[in-house]
Amino acid sequence: MEEPETYTGALERALHISGSEIGGECRVASERARRIRRFLPWAVLLPAALSGCGLIDAPQSMLNPAGPVAQDQLGLIDSSIWVMTLVFVVVAGALLVILLRFRWRGQTELPPQWEGSTRLELLWTIVPFILLALLAVGTVRDSFVLAAPEGKNVLKVNVVGHQYWWSFSYPGTNIVTANELHIPVGQKVELVLTSADVIHAFWIPRLGGKTALVPGRTNIMWIEADQPGTYKGQCAEFCGTGHADMRLLVVAEPPAKFAQWEQQMEHPVVQPTSALAQQGEKYFASEQCSSCHTIGGTSFVGVVGPNLTNLAQRQMIAGNLLPNDAQDLAAWLKDPQAVKPGSLMPNLHLSPDKIKALVAFLQSLKTPAPSGSV
Amino acid sequence: MATHSERVWHGGGQVVVTGDEEPRGLWSWLTTVDHKRIGQMYMGAGLFFFLLAGIEAFLMRLQLAQPDAHVVSAALFNQLFTMHGVTMVFLAGMPLLIGFINLVVPIQIGARDVAFPRLNALSLWLFIGGGLMLYTSWFFGGAPDAGWFNYVPISAGEFSPGPGVDFYDIGLQISGIGTLMTGINFLTTIINLRAPGMSWLRLPMFVWATFVTSLLIVFAFPPLTVNLFLQTFDRLFGAHFFTVSAGGSPLLWANLFWVFGHPEVYILIMPAFGIISEVVPVMSRRPLFGYTTMVLSVMAIGFLSFMVWVHHMFDLGYGPWVNSIFALSSMLIAVPTGVKIFNWLTTMWGGQVRMNTAMHWVFGFLITFVVGGMSGVMLALAPADLQFNNSYFVVAHFHYVLIGGTLFAIFAGMYYWFPKYTGRFLNERLGKWQFWLVFIGFNVTFFPMHFLGLMGMPRRIYTYAPHLGLTLWNSISTDGVYILTAGMIIGAINVLWSYGHGELAAADPWDGRTLEWAIPSPPPAYNFEYIPLVRGLDAFWVEKRYGNGRMLPAPEEHHGPPGTIHMPSPTAMPLFLALSIIVAGYGLILHSLVLDIIGFGFVAVGIYRSMFTVDHGYFVRPHHIEGVRADG
């Protein structure tokens, strides 16, 4: 991103000057770029211009909305940026003029002793008031629009925050899962939020702003994804040592694929085929893993830790901190606190053999897609 | 000086001291009730805590410069950001401002001291004691680590079993009591001790700012006091005000905290506005534009500051009605704040602006505070705030208003008033180096934090994943810290060097407008030879322009016996009381009945003695009756 055109394209994206869709790689829009360069004060926009691509492309960027909630919020952010830039330019311009024109140059006579002007003071009472009133309209409207999802076709998911992981359950089904939230594309999803311990906050910037999970209280927010994809986020209310590692993943899938996932979660099949994995299943019980973890399709029903049903189908482990592969699973089982400081999963001091068997077992936890599925 | 020993500490006698030499030595500082010495100690202690908070910030930025770094552990990082926030708000920001208030306000209203000089000393020692006590938590198993707003349940005994949060509760309680008494003291001082002719609409803007700040302190600190008490009972005595399972509510803490917390940020900015309102007219050689509107603005801001606290909690789920109302009230604050900014600009527009170091800081203040104010309006838009809240965008915002706003104004005030209180100028060349390094370093450090927030980086995370695209701006931000630190070091050198070696300052080096410029630099302990008569707004300016350049004495009934000045006696009682309260505080935290009995016992004795001791003070007979120092 060295050429000025690209900077400008980035700038245009950062500030949403064009009405075109956002996201993806930066394009060169030289025609529009020239127009923008003529009209916009570079001093203010240069930092934004320099950063445009990085800002938009970041996986958790709120400037790259992927659903109506985040889109609404971005609209408000955009309009306020414009109003505020205007105010800044006026103040900075005035300071510049003062620096250039109204310096003391050794005069002995005093400047005009001006004590006030009702007209001017009314001007800068009323003009900001009008600017704010413009922003207030969208603020109030969006507050109500975003408060609760409208319509009948709303998928409800119960979310419970834990130090330092997320539990998701789908009312009306027996589906309980952890850390990876599956939702269908194009459908409003109502999240019913509460906490098992301290205050957390659910935040997927590309899908919408955050709402806190407060113990003893139920909060509601809704999200909707326009496109299939994986959306990242993380806990946004300080919740203890592991706060930074309490991450979130939303997997938005086309409705048919989501239905298939639901099917697999409703009827999980646990069939460890290798001898090693079968050994691991035994260790899961004998080493007390099962006193905290549930695995659908088995007799393990612990409820303290995350539900591990179909664990092998998830992308990440340890509160979405590590990729779900054999090596990281083994490191996690060996010493959870070394991987994720503050983790409440106890270090069971497992022998390497047992870890190997447990990893084999955990990697076998996937339910085959039903026949005739997409 | 021999005559000092003749002073009668209590009882009926009154002794005349025939000189105006000030007592020296450590003990004279520990027992002083002189508002100027107390102010200087507030500044000194504030700068010391500012240094500690800076070191904490430095460590945090080192940790965040790269993803998955291991400069500090997660647990230590949580203590660092908690202590950094607590220190900057309670132990650096407020004391530096209260330092200026102590130094300037009594003189600006034509008084010889505050209404309650001994209470003033007690406030100082409680602040220093509470602050040092908070820092000893590192030696008792770790500092508080639940963030500066210390939400429950994360700060409850169940999730934070160490004594760290107890130090937060007790330490802030003690220093908070000191602040509360400061608020009462200055309200009383401004209402009662104004010189004849100093009517309300002739008060300098800094005094108005102090008046409103004191009102905010008096109304905002009690919710904090209550909150800290409730949590102390929860944590130490097994009460359940905040325990969900026992019918308590974590949101009770959150609401009480922000009912205090939002006015608190105005307590931190209001005196800064006052400083700017003093420096701008003097350095532009013209009166403050729209004085009455400026007064109304600070009152409006102070009033509104109690109506906006929910904007810190838009994501806690109070629903669209509550969020809309608090969004609108928060946006409304921008109007009187904007009026102030435009009135400052108009004061300079058409004036003759002297761009000395103090004015450099004023310009730095205006630029950064406007940026911070704008991001503040953006945060007030409730639906957008659901994205911003608890992200680095918020971190950027409050550093723009608290560093770029409050701290830059404090520096402006330092360059402006240093010659008055030390008799020497701060060095201008070093000052400009400090300004440019701090201004550039500040913006390089904190502007990228807006971007980091927009890119979805939450605050209070000790590390972040490499693939989130946050690395570039985090490393730039950390680079800025080096520039910022260099500037701060130059500033520290300037203060230390100039204190003893700076260029000598006359009584009125800036062609000032208010009463402090009518008395010598540094002022004598009694401030004024005679109580001045105030004949207009900008009292000293009026006399320079329309009088003979000197303040006229107030009518006879405002003076003591001819040729003498009545002064309050120094006393060790405030220090003794503060130490006793600290001992009692350690008793509570360490569960030591012995320390409790000793501490509270001494507190009772101290209060009893204070109640029944009559201080008749002493009299000073000044040697010279000159408005300017001989070498000035």
Side-chain angles (χ1 to χ4, degrees):
Chain A
M1 275 163 248
E2 247 80 37
E3 300 96 22
E5 282 84 5
T6 319
Y7 280 151
T8 321
L11 170 153
E12 170 210 341
R13 286 163 177 285
L15 296 160
H16 300 274
I17 297 153
S18 76
S20 62
E21 80 287 343
I22 316 118
E25 76 287 331
C26 290
R27 286 172 300 116
V28 177
S30 53
E31 173 61 20
R32 203 176 285 123
R34 231 172 286 126
R35 217 168 56 222
I36 289 161
R37 206 179 304 158
R38 207 171 324 125
F39 283 110
L40 297 181
W42 274 103
V44 180
L45 298 177
L46 199 62
L50 287 168
S51 65
C53 281
L55 285 184
I56 307 290
D57 293 349
Q60 294 184 177
S61 176
M62 66 179 78
L63 303 177
N64 185 13
V69 177
Q71 188 69 60
D72 262 20
Q73 289 162 335
L74 182 60
L76 206 51
I77 293 171
D78 277 349
S79 46
S80 62
I81 284 184
W82 281 112
V83 174
M84 297 303 131
T85 305
L86 179 77
V87 178
F88 180 81
V89 168
V90 170
V91 173
L95 284 173
L96 200 63
V97 173
I98 289 165
L99 272 182
L100 295 175
R101 278 189 54 197
F102 300 116
R103 299 279 283 273
W104 182 63
R105 296 188 173 82
Q107 301 99 316
T108 46
E109 80 283 10
L110 290 172
Q113 301 289 296
W114 198 15
E115 286 175 355
S117 153
T118 311
R119 193 175 296 177
L120 275 179
E121 289 175 86
L122 275 177
L123 176 75
W124 47 69
T125 308
I126 292 168
V127 171
F129 201 85
I130 292 170
L131 291 176
L132 290 171
L134 293 176
L135 292 174
V137 175
T139 299
V140 174
R141 187 195 55 217
D142 285 355
S143 289
F144 282 87
V145 168
L146 301 180
E150 280 186 10
K152 291 218 169 66
N153 185 25
V154 175
L155 174 71
K156 208 176 222 185
V157 182
N158 292 327
V159 183
V160 183
H162 300 261
Q163 284 180 322
Y164 305 97
W165 57 280
W166 309 85
S167 161
F168 304 112
S169 60
Y170 294 69
T173 73
N174 63 5
I175 300 174
V176 181
T177 184
N179 296 324
E180 191 175 296
L181 173 63
H182 283 249
I183 60 169
V185 163
Q187 188 180 353
K188 291 187 170 105
V189 181
E190 179 180 336
L191 304 174
V192 183
L193 310 161
T194 191
S195 169
D197 38 51
V198 302
I199 303 177
H200 305 275
F202 185 98
W203 188 29
I204 308 280
R206 293 192 61 199
L207 297 181
K210 62 190 73 64
T211 302
L213 300 85
V214 185
R217 194 181 157 89
T218 305
N219 282 337
I220 284 174
M221 68 181 277
W222 66 278
I223 54 176
E224 181 182 341
D226 293 335
Q227 302 290 330
T230 303
Y231 302 102
K232 289 179 196 296
Q234 58 191 105
C235 178
E237 183 68 62
F238 177 66
C239 60
T241 312
H243 170 58
D245 299 327
M246 183 171 170
R247 298 177 189 173
L248 260 169
L249 215 52
V250 171
V251 177
E253 296 163 321
K257 200 149 176 243
F258 175 74
Q260 177 192 315
W261 176 83
E262 274 189 311
Q263 194 67 29
Q264 290 168 313
M265 290 299 289
E266 283 256 47
H267 309 287
V269 181
V270 176
Q271 284 171 321
T273 42
S274 71
L276 192 62
Q278 284 163 358
Q279 189 61 39
E281 183 171 8
K282 292 201 183 86
Y283 288 142
F284 197 86
S286 66
E287 295 297 328
Q288 303 298 319
C289 305
S290 59
S291 58
C292 291
H293 295 285
T294 295
I295 299 177
T298 70
S299 58
F300 307 140
V301 290
V303 291
V304 177
N307 186 308
L308 302 181
T309 305
N310 288 342
L311 178 75
Q313 289 176 237
R314 293 186 204 158
Q315 300 179 15
M316 308 285 280
I317 57 164
N320 297 318
L321 184 62
L322 304 172
N324 188 3
D325 56 35
Q327 194 190 340
D328 287 293
L329 271 170
W332 174 239
L333 294 179
K334 181 165 177 286
D335 186 353
Q337 284 72 33
V339 174
K340 181 175 175 176
S343 168
L344 297 180
M345 174 153 137
N347 183 345
L348 298 173
H349 302 285
L350 299 165
S351 67
D353 288 347
K354 286 180 180 170
I355 289 176
K356 216 169 172 184
L358 279 165
V359 168
F361 170 60
L362 292 173
Q363 290 201 303
S364 76
L365 295 176
K366 57 179 107 179
T367 302
S371 52
S373 67
V374 280
Chain B
M1 193 170 147
T3 43
H4 286 177
S5 59
E6 294 174 44
R7 282 181 197 162
V8 176
W9 295 83
H10 48 81
Q14 294 181 345
V15 173
V16 175
V17 175
T18 53
D20 60 353
E21 291 85 357
E22 293 189 31
R24 292 166 181 277
L26 181 63
W27 187 246
S28 75
W29 284 83
L30 295 178
T31 59
T32 188
V33 293
D34 180 346
H35 69 97
K36 296 175 292 299
R37 287 188 163 202
I38 289 172
Q40 285 180 47
M41 285 192 277
Y42 262 111
M43 305 285 300
L47 289 172
F48 170 72
F49 285 118
F50 179 59
L51 172 70
L52 295 181
I55 293 169
E56 286 150 9
F58 199 91
L59 288 172
M60 285 191 283
R61 279 314 322 165
L62 285 182
Q63 164 69 15
L64 291 173
Q66 297 297 326
D68 291 340
H70 295 286
V71 179
V72 296
S73 69
L76 180 58
F77 188 89
N78 296 342
Q79 297 175 22
L80 287 175
F81 74 67
T82 303
M83 288 300 279
H84 173 76
V86 171
T87 306
M88 284 306 295
V89 170
F90 293 98
L91 308 179
M94 272 204 301
L96 287 171
L97 294 167
I98 291 176
F100 276 121
I101 288 172
N102 262 291
L103 287 169
V104 175
V105 166
I107 306 184
Q108 280 196 335
I109 62 172
R112 293 215 163 104
D113 208 319
V114 294
F116 307 116
R118 280 190 290 177
L119 199 64
N120 203 19
L122 180 57
S123 291
L124 170 76
W125 298 119
L126 286 176
F127 142 61
I128 294 180
L132 290 176
M133 181 180 190
L134 198 50
Y135 267 87
T136 60
S137 59
W138 297 100
F139 307 112
F140 287 95
D145 59 356
W148 88 276
F149 45 81
N150 202 46
Y151 273 177
V152 280
I154 184 72
S155 64
E158 185 187 353
F159 299 103
S160 196
V165 175
D166 295 324
F167 275 98
Y168 173 98
D169 289 336
I170 306 282
L172 287 191
Q173 188 72 280
I174 289 174
S175 89
I177 294 169
T179 309
L180 189 53
M181 292 192 301
T182 298
I184 294 169
N185 210 340
F186 278 90
L187 276 185
T188 319
T189 303
I190 294 169
I191 292 172
N192 290 300
L193 296 189
R194 283 169 292 132
M198 180 64 86
S199 59
W200 285 96
L201 285 182
R202 286 178 182 174
L203 288 181
M205 270 319 291
F206 186 70
V207 178
W208 266 115
T210 301
F211 185 77
V212 175
T213 303
S214 303
L215 273 174
L216 293 186
I217 288 174
V218 167
F219 286 100
F221 266 72
L224 176 72
T225 308
V226 168
N227 228 12
L228 294 173
F229 263 125
L230 296 183
Q231 185 164 61
T232 304
F233 274 77
D234 267 17
R235 288 182 57 95
L236 296 180
F237 309 126
H240 293 292
F241 293 105
F242 304 123
T243 318
V244 177
S245 57
S249 163
L251 294 188
L252 175 63
W253 171 279
N255 278 280
L256 280 174
F257 189 88
W258 290 119
V259 165
F260 148 77
H262 200 80
E264 168 65 20
V265 303
Y266 285 87
I267 291 168
L268 286 168
I269 198 67
M270 210 68 98
F273 287 171
I275 293 171
I276 301 297
S277 295
E278 294 299 313
V279 178
V280 164
V282 168
M283 298 306 176
S284 309
R285 305 185 76 201
R286 63 197 324 222
L288 184 66
F289 185 88
Y291 171 84
T292 317
T293 325
M294 295 298 253
V295 173
L296 290 173
S297 298
V298 288
M299 288 205 240
I301 295 169
F303 180 73
L304 286 173
S305 74
F306 284 96
M307 320 251 152
V308 298
W309 80 90
V310 175
H311 73 212
H312 296 271
M313 316 188 290
F314 281 147
D315 70 330
L316 284 188
Y318 282 108
W321 280 100
V322 172
N323 282 7
S324 295
I325 289 167
F326 279 88
L328 296 181
S329 63
S330 305
M331 291 161 76
L332 210 52
I333 289 197
V335 174
T337 313
V339 168
K340 292 191 78 70
I341 286 169
F342 283 107
N343 278 5
W344 288 322
L345 290 175
T346 325
T347 306
M348 294 187 280
W349 188 283
Q352 295 164 359
V353 179
R354 276 176 286 176
M355 285 308 292
N356 50 25
T357 309
M359 263 328 251
H360 277 66
W361 289 113
V362 170
F363 271 63
F365 167 93
L366 285 170
I367 290 277
T368 48
F369 183 74
V370 166
V371 173
M374 293 184 323
S375 57
V377 173
M378 293 174 70
L379 291 171
L381 313 175
D385 181 66
L386 295 180
Q387 289 281 23
F388 296 137
N389 186 24
N390 278 341
S391 79
Y392 258 78
F393 194 86
V394 175
V395 179
H397 160 71
F398 64 68
H399 283 94
Y400 265 78
V401 288
L402 291 180
I403 303 294
T406 303
L407 194 69
F408 285 10
I410 285 172
F411 286 142
M414 275 173 74
Y415 281 86
Y416 179 67
W417 277 310
F418 195 86
K420 172 49 60 189
Y421 293 94
T422 65
R424 291 174 187 277
F425 286 101
L426 284 169
N427 184 285
E428 283 282 310
R429 181 187 291 258
L430 286 177
K432 280 170 189 159
W433 273 98
Q434 182 203 357
F435 169 78
W436 283 109
L437 287 171
V438 169
F439 184 76
I440 293 168
F442 166 82
N443 282 292
V444 174
T445 304
F446 292 101
F447 203 82
M449 290 188 186
H450 293 106
F451 300 153
L452 290 169
L454 297 174
M455 293 161 97
M457 179 169 170
R459 68 196 284 199
R460 299 180 167 177
I461 55 173
Y462 78 98
T463 195
Y464 51 93
H467 58 76
L468 291 181
L470 304 172
T471 312
L472 173 68
W473 292 110
N474 268 305
S475 65
I476 289 176
S477 174
T478 301
D479 291 341
V481 173
Y482 301 121
I483 309 174
L484 189 55
T485 308
M488 292 298 184
I489 290 172
I490 290 179
I493 290 171
N494 196 359
V495 169
L496 294 175
W497 183 82
S498 302
Y499 200 87
H501 302 94
E503 190 191 332
L504 287 172
D508 182 21
W510 311 119
D511 197 9
R513 315 177 73 86
T514 40
L515 284 174
E516 72 269 34
W517 307 108
I519 61 172
S521 305
Y526 45 82
N527 298 346
F528 297 94
E529 305 276 359
Y530 44 81
I531 297 295
L533 176 68
V534 174
R535 299 201 291 172
L537 179 62
D538 294 340
F540 186 39
W541 181 261
V542 169
E543 300 301 334
K544 284 194 286 189
R545 291 274 287 157
Y546 307 107
N548 65 359
R550 295 180 51 171
M551 298 306 299
L552 301 176
E556 200 59 39
E557 67 266 25
H558 296 282
H559 297 278
T564 60
I565 293 165
H566 188 199
M567 297 291 290
S569 305
T571 164
M573 188 53 85
L575 184 60
F576 171 79
L577 261 176
L579 284 174
S580 310
I581 293 174
I582 302 291
V583 170
Y586 275 110
L588 287 173
I589 294 170
L590 304 175
H591 304 278
S592 159
L593 198 59
V594 179
L595 286 181
D596 276 339
I597 291 171
I598 296 173
F600 284 118
F602 281 163
V603 170
V605 170
I607 290 177
Y608 180 86
R609 290 264 300 176
S610 302
M611 283 169 69
F612 294 101
T613 302
V614 180
D615 171 31
H616 290 282
Y618 65 100
F619 287 89
V620 175
R621 180 177 295 139
H623 284 317
H624 46 79
I625 313 286
E626 277 307 311
V628 227
R629 205 163 88 157
D631 54 4

